[in-house]
Amino acid sequence: MSVAQKARSRGQIWRRMALGLAVLTLVALRIGSAYSVAGNWDEFGLFEAASKTAETGVLRSGGRPGLAQLLVLPLVADCTDEISVVRTARLIWVLFTLAYLAGIGILLAQVQPDPQRRFGDAMFGISLLCFVPAFLEWSIQVRTDQIALAGGVWGGVALL
């Protein structure tokens, strides 16, 4: 292996380590935000619908898909502290957001014809989405959007 190849290899290792550190930082900030950002009225509406579903045994989705209510049902069934329910649900929803971002990355990598550029272009596309202020706020909240978007993106990945 030549000196130039070794330097290029070391450069790739450092870039991947920096990318890994950036991803870990993003995940840590998302988790920290779940505890520090105030609850939204939409979240409490979702939890109220899930609570009514737990009481009556009939899914009350209010025109929304019912999957989110079913997922938060165990959290609200014996609720004594609304804020802890919001925080716990937000931690679960971080996983849906990360699944959405991973799906976007894989989808972008699949549509890039140049194998040398796939990884970099996918990371660039994810970062363009991640740092939009609306996404930063929306991705913390417990909403039906994350589940639908993650499912749609992974459906696209499966089709490609």
Side-chain angles (χ1 to χ4, degrees), residues 9 13 16 31 38 57 63 65 70 78 108 114 118 127 133 149 151 159:
S9 176
I13 290 170
R16 290 186 188 235
I31 291 171
L70 294 175
D78 297 320
L108 289 172
D114 183 7
R118 283 186 182 151
S127 66
L149 288 169
L159 285 174

Side-chain angles (χ1 to χ4, degrees), residues 127-146:
S127 66
L128 286 176
L129 176 62
C130 278
F131 297 113
V132 172
F135 179 82
L136 289 171
E137 183 177 338
W138 160 84
S139 66
I140 298 167
Q141 300 169 357
V142 178
R143 307 173 75 84
T144 58
D145 304 346
Q146 289 99 321

Side-chain angles (χ1 to χ4, degrees), residues 26-32 34 71 75 86-104 135 138-143 145-151 153-154:
L26 175 70
V27 171
L29 289 173
R30 294 288 85 199
I31 291 171
L71 290 173
L75 300 175
V86 169
R87 289 176 176 166
T88 304
R90 283 181 172 182
L91 292 176
I92 295 168
W93 254 247
V94 165
L95 297 175
F96 289 118
T97 301
L98 294 175
Y100 170 59
L101 292 174
I104 289 285
F135 179 82
W138 160 84
S139 66
I140 298 167
Q141 300 169 357
V142 178
R143 307 173 75 84
D145 304 346
Q146 289 99 321
I147 299 170
L149 288 169
V153 166
W154 280 100

Side-chain angles (χ1 to χ4, degrees), residues 108 119-129:
L108 289 172
F119 183 76
D121 286 357
M123 292 300 110
F124 182 65
I126 291 171
S127 66
L128 286 176
L129 176 62

Side-chain angles (χ1 to χ4, degrees), residues 43-55 68-86 88-89 92 142:
E43 294 173 299
F44 290 109
L46 178 72
F47 298 142
E48 195 269 332
S51 176
K52 295 287 185 200
T53 298
E55 289 174 11
Q69 280 88 347
L70 294 175
L71 290 173
V72 298
L73 201 56
L75 300 175
V76 300
D78 297 320
C79 176
T80 57
D81 181 14
E82 295 84 4
I83 302 304
S84 69
V85 168
V86 169
T88 304
I92 295 168
V142 178

